[in-house]
Amino acid sequence: ACGAARRGGTARGERRMAGQAAARAAGALLCLAGTAQAIYEDQAGVNEWVLQHVGSAQHLAFAGPNALVVSREGVVAAIGSKSGGELAWRTVLPENAGTEFASGGFAGVAANRQALATLSKDGCTLRTWQAKSGGLLWDLDLCPAGTARGAGVHAAVQFGADVNNDKFADLAVLSNNNVQIVSTASGLSVRSTGPEGDAVFTGLLTTPTTTFALGRSANGKATVTVVDVKPDTWELPETLATGVDPVPLLVGGRPFAAVLTNTGKLVLHDLEARKSTEVGSPSGKTLAAEADNVDAPLLRVGDALFLVSAQAGAAPTARAVATADAGTSIVAGGSAVVGDAASGSTVVATQASSAGSCGSIAALTWTTFAGQSHNFDLPEPVGQRGDRGCLTKLFVQSATVQGNGYSARVVAQFEDASLVGVQLRIPSAGATLESSLLYVREEALAEVVEVSPVELPALAASSSDDFAEQVSNVLAHGNPAGILMFRLKDQLRAIRVTLASLFDTAKHYMNLLVDSQGQVLVQAYNGELPKGAGYSQSALAQFGFRKGLLALTKSGKVFLLNSLTGEIIYSVFDRKYNSQTRMFVTRPHSAGPSHPAEVVFVESATGRVSWRNALTGAELREENHGKPILETMMVLGEHLHDAPDDPSAPAAASARAASDEEDVSPPGFLIALDADRQWTTFPRDKQTWFAAHNSLLRRIFLVHFDQ
């Protein structure tokens, strides 16, 4: 039944769970919740919930109150800033979209208040969506018959000029070394332009009146082509550095081509004035646009980040604003409304970094269109202190004037795949910057790789946060007397829940008896008793439906979810966990501070094994085997008590097996086969005992299939 449910879940057309992993995870969640205890017919539908996610955001653009996001998993969605991050709409591309996202997401995204355009990774499929509702307007195959799909090296899409005068900004699309102007309203190609000679188009840049295609000629010079009825192409005088393409950039609404020359000079070429300006000689050997879109005046040259400015009538300048080193990492983002020099907005973040892992965010700086810089802290403490891992992207909205002040929205993406929405606001000229949290979306849950249930104590009328805090405090700080009182209080709660549930049930059926004038007795006898309006949370918890669902995600984040509501009880991020990590619940319930509920994570690639408190996420201990693990299985802890002592077993091993306290279920342990085809146990101290008990050894089979 569970298999059938999963198959049905993945065949719901265009709106499905994000990716096959998410579909499997959803099925696993429902199956585990269902098998926790038998579900009768009249209980169907009581404990159902759905969590919809986007996945790892590759592109994000702001349109009105929503943030339009496209993920690497092939999801297109709108996140509402006024609804606490709820999805205004969500569409999942079909699995047969192939290279559209299978090879790492999309090539480009463009958005305005009316539409969102997505270009596939191979540059062959262009789709437009209604920004407000998410409805598909049209799609267009840009690759003619016989073209090798997936062969496009450079691909991009941007909204530009209204070429066909239909009052809609048309799309400029770079695909397969060709630039097309496509009508946003109809999806028809209006114009097409290719490079001259043996040049290759490498970038695209649009203004409200003109579309520019940047390229590289065979002699190593940058080329600029104006896409028009009669294309105009010219070559820049500077010779490009080896392997470094020209970078399109909008600065104050003016189009520029940034060039790193073979002599190490950074040159900005004004595409309208056709004039070059040398702005520095940085030490870096690479050049790239830092932000997700070309309208952010940010360039990264090597490890240095430059903020480019260009005042009207003046030559452009480039100012180094940050440099990454062994102890820091830099992420920046920005945007500006094309043609509006007074809308630029950039945010630069500096984060402590060491050996690939990140600590707290050292600085966040918002630079507005007026050239003023303001520092602020991320108004979300988990991300600010580095517990979400490294910042990976910053998506920044164009600054909006509000009275005498201005504001902008920022979405920060972290290594754990979470999205944190922030509102920046300066109420008036000279006022202090105000930052407020809009939402946090835990997008790691879009790619769940394993789910396991654990027991939750019956804490009636307690929120998830209260429950997590109570359990954490007791297990971390409780003495034996405190633990005893906690358990007694928990039992009293359970008794109270039982009595209240029985009273509510009796009252419910008494009302049914009166309202039906006795007919309910006939219906009950015939098995036709009508389903009630639903059960209380306390009743469901009492009858075994409320569990904790431990979910391990591909990004390395672990969640404990309330099985009844889907609420997150806690989350913890470990960047070493990944899709190859295995999760085993070795003790599904807590029995005091010395015997917490345990979950074990086995990192197959490295042999690192870590134990965590399953109810709080706190790390208990770890062991490092130092070799890859091929197979892992769990042996239930009861075997430590039940296995008869072998006469040849060492006394120390027998004593160790008997050392567990009476009436406390010992945790299970793991048996593993490593890359050298040698078996071991986790914890290691169980190996001697296990090997000495031949009666148990003969009952355990570990199978590994190697082609």
Side-chain angles (χ1 to χ4, degrees):
C2 289
R6 286 197 294 271
R7 287 194 296 273
T10 58
R12 294 189 178 186
E14 61 180 7
R15 295 177 182 267
R16 296 162 300 149
M17 291 296 291
Q20 294 180 348
R24 288 195 296 270
L29 290 175
L30 293 176
C31 291
L32 287 169
T35 57
Q37 187 153 333
I39 296 179
Y40 295 95
E41 183 179 359
D42 67 327
Q43 296 168 335
V46 171
N47 59 332
E48 294 179 354
W49 44 267
V50 175
L51 298 180
Q52 288 190 325
H53 295 90
V54 176
S56 177
Q58 185 184 17
H59 300 277
L60 187 147
F62 297 92
N66 294 334
L68 306 180
V69 61
V70 175
S71 73
R72 294 183 181 277
E73 291 75 26
V75 179
V76 182
I79 302 174
S81 61
K82 296 181 179 179
S83 60
E86 293 293 323
L87 296 182
W89 53 264
R90 173 179 175 271
T91 299
V92 183
L93 292 182
E95 293 176 11
N96 60 8
T99 56
E100 186 140 2
F101 52 89
S103 58
F106 295 83
V109 168
N112 57 23
R113 285 182 172 270
Q114 288 77 39
L116 169 71
T118 60
L119 181 63
S120 61
K121 191 70 174 179
D122 59 6
C124 287
T125 305
L126 178 66
R127 286 187 171 97
T128 60
W129 318 79
Q130 289 181 340
K132 186 176 181 179
S133 66
L136 179 66
L137 296 174
W138 49 262
D139 56 13
L140 177 65
D141 191 346
L142 299 172
C143 297
T147 302
R149 304 184 72 90
V153 178
H154 303 282
V157 58
Q158 294 177 26
F159 279 100
D162 179 12
V163 176
N164 57 354
N165 298 315
D166 60 359
K167 299 183 179 179
F168 291 98
D170 293 318
L171 289 165
V173 187
L174 169 59
S175 170
N176 289 287
N177 206 28
N178 185 71
V179 174
Q180 294 189 51
I181 306 298
V182 179
S183 170
T184 304
S186 65
L188 299 177
S189 180
V190 177
R191 186 172 300 156
S192 179
T193 300
E196 287 188 355
D198 52 8
V200 176
F201 282 159
T202 61
L204 189 66
L205 189 60
T206 61
T207 71
T209 59
T210 311
T211 296
F212 299 93
L214 303 186
R216 168 192 281 271
S217 65
N219 61 0
K221 299 295 182 71
T223 63
V224 181
T225 299
V226 176
V227 180
D228 206 335
V229 176
K230 294 183 178 180
D232 182 15
T233 299
W234 69 93
E235 195 174 75
L236 303 188
E238 299 83 12
T239 301
L240 296 169
T242 303
V244 180
D245 294 326
V247 173
L249 198 68
L250 279 171
V251 184
R254 293 165 57 186
F256 286 87
V259 172
L260 187 64
T261 71
N262 61 344
T263 58
K265 299 184 183 302
L266 180 61
V267 177
L268 294 176
H269 184 82
D270 189 327
L271 300 183
E272 292 179 338
R274 302 195 182 189
K275 181 179 179 181
S276 295
T277 303
E278 182 183 325
V279 293
S281 299
S283 59
K285 303 299 182 183
T286 59
L287 174 66
E290 172 66 13
D292 187 51
N293 44 4
V294 298
D295 55 4
L298 293 166
L299 288 174
R300 187 183 287 263
V301 185
D303 294 327
L305 185 68
F306 289 82
L307 179 64
V308 181
S309 61
Q311 303 299 324
T317 61
R319 175 172 59 91
V321 292
T323 302
D325 54 33
T328 60
S329 63
I330 300 170
V331 177
S335 63
V337 175
V338 177
D340 183 1
S343 66
S345 181
T346 62
V347 173
V348 177
T350 304
Q351 190 173 17
S353 175
S354 176
S357 62
C358 294
S360 61
I361 298 177
L364 282 163
T365 304
W366 180 34
T367 301
T368 65
F369 52 79
Q372 299 173 337
S373 296
H374 309 266
N375 293 327
F376 66 97
D377 289 332
L378 189 73
E380 198 276 320
V382 180
Q384 175 65 36
R385 63 175 177 258
D387 289 344
R388 296 188 179 277
C390 299
L391 264 171
T392 56
K393 281 188 178 182
L394 282 171
F395 304 99
V396 184
Q397 182 192 30
S398 303
T400 303
V401 177
Q402 292 185 337
N404 294 326
Y406 35 93
S407 66
R409 280 177 284 150
V410 179
V411 176
Q413 184 177 42
F414 287 88
E415 189 180 7
D416 68 349
S418 60
L419 294 175
V420 178
V422 177
Q423 179 72 56
L424 301 179
R425 180 173 176 267
I426 297 178
S428 59
T432 303
L433 170 65
E434 300 173 356
S435 62
S436 57
L437 181 66
L438 294 174
Y439 54 81
V440 176
R441 290 192 55 85
E442 296 288 0
E443 292 301 333
L445 285 168
E447 293 190 287
V448 176
V449 294
E450 279 202 54
V451 178
S452 293
V454 295
E455 300 291 335
L456 296 182
L459 296 175
S462 293
S463 69
S464 298
D465 291 340
D466 293 339
F467 166 72
E469 184 177 357
Q470 287 187 47
V471 174
S472 179
N473 287 337
V474 169
L475 298 186
H477 308 295
N479 52 40
I483 296 298
L484 177 61
M485 293 303 297
F486 177 82
R487 296 181 68 176
L488 288 174
K489 186 167 63 172
D490 190 39
Q491 293 299 320
L492 290 174
R493 282 195 182 104
I495 293 173
R496 185 181 66 183
V497 169
T498 302
L499 293 176
S501 181
L502 289 173
F503 177 79
D504 290 343
T505 302
K507 182 179 177 181
H508 172 71
Y509 285 114
M510 184 61 69
N511 291 334
L512 281 178
L513 183 65
V514 173
D515 295 341
S516 67
Q517 297 181 349
Q519 289 300 310
V520 67
L521 296 177
V522 178
Q523 291 174 316
Y525 179 80
N526 294 330
E528 301 171 351
L529 194 64
K531 180 180 175 181
Y535 297 91
S536 66
Q537 293 287 311
S538 59
L540 289 167
Q542 173 61 25
F543 289 104
F545 280 99
R546 190 186 69 163
K547 306 290 182 183
L549 296 178
L550 277 169
L552 172 64
T553 66
K554 185 178 179 180
S555 71
K557 196 156 191 177
V558 180
F559 297 86
L560 181 63
L561 307 178
N562 186 320
S563 67
L564 296 181
T565 64
E567 290 181 275
I568 297 174
I569 296 175
Y570 76 76
S571 63
V572 62
F573 174 64
D574 190 324
R575 64 187 305 271
K576 295 180 181 179
Y577 298 163
N578 53 45
S579 59
Q580 303 302 314
T581 301
R582 298 291 311 280
M583 179 174 69
F584 300 88
V585 175
T586 52
R587 179 153 50 200
H589 56 81
S590 174
S594 300
H595 308 280
E598 280 188 2
V599 58
V600 183
F601 298 92
V602 180
E603 298 165 33
S604 302
T606 63
R608 174 178 174 253
V609 181
S610 55
W611 284 258
R612 289 185 180 272
N613 187 317
L615 299 184
T616 66
E619 190 169 39
L620 302 174
R621 64 189 184 279
E622 74 170 57
E623 293 180 2
N624 196 339
H625 185 61
K627 299 176 183 178
I629 301 297
L630 302 179
E631 300 287 350
T632 309
M633 65 175 292
M634 183 176 71
V635 178
L636 296 177
E638 293 86 71
H639 288 300
L640 297 176
H641 282 318
D642 298 341
D645 285 342
D646 192 290
S648 62
S654 300
R656 187 182 302 111
S659 64
D660 291 317
E661 295 181 18
E662 190 177 356
D663 297 329
V664 174
S665 298
F669 62 96
L670 305 181
I671 302 175
L673 184 72
D674 65 23
D676 293 337
R677 306 305 195 269
Q678 300 296 315
W679 72 274
T680 185
T681 65
F682 301 112
R684 286 198 192 97
D685 61 6
K686 290 292 188 288
Q687 185 167 10
T688 303
W689 176 88
F690 184 76
H693 287 73
N694 291 328
S695 59
L696 178 59
L697 195 62
R698 287 193 294 267
R699 301 204 302 266
I700 302 297
F701 295 86
L702 179 63
V703 180
H704 172 66
F705 174 74
D706 190 339
Q707 292 183 340

